[in-house]
Amino acid sequence: MAQASGAAPDAEPLHRLTSRQFESLIRGEGDADALTALVLAERSHRLLILDLVMDSLTAMEGVGRPLPAPQRAWNLLATAQRIAPAVVQELLDLPETGLWAGQLLQRLRAPKPTELPLWADVGHLHSIAAAAAVRAGLSFSFPVPSVEGRVDLPTLGQARLPHRAPWETAVLTFRDGGVALTSETGTLRLPGDLGRPAPGWLPLHRDEVRPPGAPAVRVTLDDLGRHRIVPPPMGAARRLPADAAAGLAKLIQEGCDLLVEADPPSAVTVGALLRTVQPMSAHEAFRVRSASSAHAVGGLALSWPDSELACAAALVHELQHSKLNALSHLVPLSEEGPSPERLYYAPWRDDPRPLPGMLQGIYAFTGVTRFWRGRTRLPAERYEQLNWFEFALWRGQLASVLPRVATDPELTAEGRRLLAAVRSTVADWAAESPATPAAREAVRLAERLATDHRALWRLHHVRPHPADTDELTAAWLRGDEPVLPIRRRRVRGERRQRHLDARAVLARIRLVDPVALVKLRDVVEKDEVPGVSGAGRADLLWATGDPSAAEEHFTRTVVDGTAPPAAWAGLRLTWEETGRSPEAVRALGAVPEVVCAVARAVRRRTGTPVDPVGLAHWVARGLGEKVKEAKEAKEAKEAGEA
């Protein structure tokens, strides 16, 4: 266990990955030995954070009042460890312990206004120590914090006092196997069996996940604790009824079963890392919300999955984040303080992302892609089209972003090795293709929607320089050839638009349940689609196989000046399917923000709308010139080097 304070780090690192372990992890996988090494390293990292917390608290006189000094809580924890070391280790390994310690350390180093008093925040250490002492069978009395009448005992449950003061203290006493909490309003006696609910006591939901052929893993459904991976209100703790908790546990088990047959590396990761799932409210179909934290390796927040498939994919996604977070604590992958000005297109997000976020996304979706690839290789799979759609979509999206991110100057040598390994893996997947016509159509659909998402992202986040827009607008009005800008544009980092994946969600519904999609189209009259935020009627028309009607709708909004950015990208998608000008399709795929900006500028200057096909075709001529110039410049450079 860590020192109470002041422990100096060793001159040499305590944990190292072998070359084989590192190679296993940077491929996005991680065998049992590599994952064990990560777990042990993460334990040391956790103890280091706790040691830094204790150092900071020791220097702050009276920080625990009205609770005992933090050192006394630490001493109680150390006493429990001598009797029940496995219990204390479990408490320290909890993702929520890491989340609390990491956030508290940030608070101590850079204080920010918050409603929770510092003593109540620090007092979570007292709650951890008290829970350890109860489980170790120690006889003791010790004050713990109560927040809104709730007293958390990690790994055990939550007591609810009758008086719900914002924050106060309660004395927890354990004698002769009985637990009692005494506050100003009286004494609450907890049940003898803390695994059963009772008045004033809610035990944790704990279930075993049993990957076939592997030891069972105890997973906590944390619907009580106040240390949340996703902050309230979306991630707020809400007690699940027993049947709902059993239903979620069943989905997690079924998801793990799918991993065993389709993605064995992720099944191994579940056994090595998964400890806590924090439930969130259900979301839309094919839009499971999930999240993880660098402080809470092994924990994840999860909205209610609509199927075991969605649950499996979410588990892969978030446990990949946990793996990379643990690896990053051991081996830095990028330099400290990456440039906030260098932002990337992330196909799995609505907003631009800096380098660390791109590394996380790339690593996570390498695992997700591997899972869907495994699904495509299963015989007689009823979700064949969905499997191929997801595999092709994410395989292509990874291939599109990896080359640029791999050249970022702030990558460390290890970060470059990781991206090189992922690129090699994705390249190996590139040649794989389905055998059936239906699956081949799903692949083509994925490729079209990958371009659609990128066009939507550019329309929302890339802004041409006003001078470029002015020059192009003047050229259009004069009837001149376009001179397309090269670098005079900027990426907006704010996240104003959401649900750029709306058409992809409709496509997934079409692949799984086309009849339901048609029924939805027949009842939707307004430009909103129930259950698919961000989608409109034109998107439904396209998704149900009527691109001509969808094109008419998109064109009408563009011509009358009411078009949102999604309509311009929708035009590209429908033109591609109806056989409109390939050049216009290319322009709206490559520089849709330029076409949109010029159309708006022409309308402002003349009061007359432009023909979107004609304008996009005209911009494409400028694209052709740029490609030609770039090719000539490259050839000249190569000739000079020769």
Side-chain angles (χ1 to χ4, degrees):
M1 192 161 152
Q3 299 294 319
S5 64
D10 292 339
E12 293 293 325
L14 294 175
H15 298 276
R16 294 180 185 274
L17 293 171
T18 66
S19 177
R20 183 186 59 77
Q21 289 169 340
F22 184 66
E23 290 296 329
S24 171
L25 288 165
I26 64 175
R27 288 197 307 270
E29 298 175 359
D31 57 25
D33 286 347
L35 293 170
T36 298
L38 277 190
V39 168
L40 294 175
E42 187 60 22
R43 282 180 177 172
S44 290
H45 180 267
R46 179 74 51 80
L47 290 172
L48 175 61
I49 297 298
L50 287 169
D51 197 47
L52 292 172
V53 167
M54 292 300 295
D55 278 348
S56 299
L57 295 176
T58 300
M60 301 170 66
E61 186 175 350
V63 69
R65 294 173 187 156
L67 292 171
Q71 185 65 52
R72 286 185 56 192
W74 192 270
N75 292 342
L76 179 61
L77 191 63
T79 301
Q81 187 195 38
R82 288 193 289 272
I83 298 170
V87 165
V88 174
Q89 189 63 68
E90 181 186 358
L91 280 156
L92 296 182
D93 283 348
L94 279 177
E96 291 72 25
T97 299
L99 195 62
W100 160 75
Q103 291 175 347
L104 177 58
L105 184 61
Q106 290 174 348
R107 177 176 182 174
L108 293 172
R109 290 181 167 180
K112 293 181 180 179
T114 178
E115 291 185 3
L116 184 68
L118 180 58
W119 68 263
D121 200 353
V122 172
H124 189 66
L125 176 64
H126 299 62
S127 299
I128 292 172
V134 168
R135 293 182 60 190
L138 294 174
S139 294
F140 71 99
S141 287
F142 199 68
V144 292
S146 167
V147 178
E148 295 183 350
R150 301 179 182 190
V151 176
D152 288 319
L153 293 178
T155 70
L156 293 173
Q158 185 180 83
R160 297 194 169 181
L161 304 176
H163 179 55
R164 307 198 71 178
W167 36 78
E168 60 179 337
T169 64
V171 176
L172 188 146
T173 302
F174 185 70
R175 294 276 189 277
D176 302 322
V179 182
L181 276 163
T182 303
S183 65
E184 291 182 359
T185 55
T187 297
L188 172 67
R189 299 192 181 279
L190 303 188
D193 181 358
L194 293 176
R196 294 184 176 276
W201 175 249
L202 295 174
L204 288 177
H205 296 299
R206 306 193 79 180
D207 289 276
E208 289 189 342
V209 173
R210 296 178 176 272
V217 180
R218 293 188 74 189
V219 177
T220 297
L221 299 181
D222 178 15
D223 57 354
L224 293 173
R226 59 186 175 87
H227 297 101
R228 313 306 291 176
I229 292 170
V230 176
M234 187 171 72
R238 296 181 181 88
R239 183 61 169 178
L240 292 177
D243 58 344
L248 182 55
K250 181 174 181 289
L251 269 175
I252 293 171
Q253 177 63 66
E254 291 171 345
C256 290
D257 292 343
L258 292 182
L259 296 182
V260 170
E261 61 179 0
D263 185 13
S266 290
V268 173
T269 302
V270 168
L273 293 183
L274 183 61
R275 295 295 174 265
T276 303
V277 175
Q278 294 185 351
M280 296 189 292
S281 58
H283 196 42
E284 298 173 349
F286 297 107
R287 276 182 173 154
V288 175
R289 286 188 179 126
S290 63
S292 51
S293 168
H295 295 309
V297 169
L300 59 98
L302 182 68
S303 70
W304 200 279
D306 52 281
S307 68
E308 67 275 17
L309 266 177
C311 187
L315 288 174
V316 174
H317 185 153
E318 297 308 334
L319 288 174
Q320 287 287 106
H321 284 313
S322 271
K323 271 193 295 191
L324 194 66
N325 284 327
L327 179 62
S328 299
H329 292 158
L330 195 57
V331 182
L333 302 174
S334 63
E335 302 294 341
E336 291 289 332
S339 170
E341 301 300 321
R342 189 179 297 111
L343 296 173
Y344 293 95
Y345 166 61
W348 37 83
R349 296 274 302 210
D350 291 337
D351 55 335
R353 301 294 287 160
L355 176 61
M358 288 302 295
L359 290 173
Q360 285 286 348
I362 286 168
Y363 196 79
F365 276 89
T366 299
V368 170
T369 309
R370 184 182 62 239
F371 166 68
W372 289 110
R373 174 180 180 261
R375 296 278 306 164
T376 68
R377 302 162 79 86
L378 297 176
E381 172 49 51
R382 60 185 282 250
Y383 290 114
E384 179 194 35
Q385 283 189 291
L386 180 65
N387 296 336
W388 274 102
F389 174 85
E390 300 288 2
F391 172 49
L393 178 66
W394 300 120
R395 171 184 65 182
Q397 297 288 40
L398 284 169
S400 72
V401 300
L402 274 164
R404 186 173 172 221
V405 180
T407 63
D408 194 297
E410 287 164 350
L411 287 166
T412 63
E414 292 79 9
R416 289 191 292 273
R417 285 179 64 188
L418 182 144
L419 290 182
V422 171
R423 288 183 75 179
S424 176
T425 297
V426 174
D428 289 343
W429 293 339
E432 298 183 17
S433 59
T436 68
R440 286 195 290 272
E441 176 53 35
V443 170
R444 288 190 290 270
L445 180 61
E447 292 167 350
R448 290 197 294 273
L449 285 167
T451 306
D452 180 60
H453 188 277
R454 187 179 185 88
L456 273 167
W457 186 91
R458 291 186 68 91
L459 284 160
H460 283 288
H461 294 294
V462 182
R463 289 292 174 267
H465 193 284
D468 292 329
T469 302
D470 290 344
E471 291 173 11
L472 283 167
T473 301
W476 168 264
L477 293 174
R478 291 193 306 266
D480 293 345
E481 287 298 299
V483 178
L484 211 64
I486 303 175
R487 296 184 180 88
R488 289 194 293 183
R489 61 177 182 265
R490 61 189 177 90
V491 174
R492 302 190 308 173
E494 66 268 23
R495 181 177 180 172
R496 293 183 178 176
Q497 179 65 24
R498 298 189 64 187
H499 309 306
L500 301 186
D501 64 339
R503 284 193 278 263
V505 171
L506 291 174
R508 292 177 174 104
I509 298 173
R510 167 175 153 184
L511 295 175
V512 172
D513 192 354
V515 174
L517 199 63
V518 171
K519 289 180 179 178
L520 189 61
R521 179 201 63 193
D522 292 342
V523 299
V524 169
E525 296 181 358
K526 296 182 179 180
D527 212 26
E528 296 178 359
V529 180
V532 188
S533 299
R537 176 152 180 81
D539 302 314
L540 258 180
L541 292 170
W542 166 79
T544 51
D546 195 349
S548 296
E551 178 189 353
E552 181 182 348
H553 190 287
F554 287 135
T555 302
R556 185 166 58 251
T557 60
V558 165
V559 169
D560 68 18
T562 63
W568 285 96
L571 275 179
R572 187 209 67 81
L573 197 60
T574 56
W575 289 350
E576 188 175 29
E577 296 190 14
T578 57
R580 291 279 188 177
S581 162
E583 291 79 9
V585 170
R586 184 161 62 94
L588 275 182
V591 286
E593 72 282 358
V594 172
V595 180
C596 181
V598 172
R600 289 174 175 172
V602 169
R603 188 182 185 90
R604 283 195 305 269
R605 291 191 188 185
T606 67
T608 305
V610 299
D611 168 31
V613 178
L615 178 61
H617 187 100
W618 178 78
V619 170
R621 296 209 296 270
L623 273 178
E625 287 300 313
K626 287 302 169 190
V627 170
K628 180 181 177 183
E629 290 174 11
K631 182 179 179 182
E632 290 173 350
K634 181 180 179 182
E635 290 174 348
K637 180 181 178 182
E638 291 173 348
E641 291 173 350

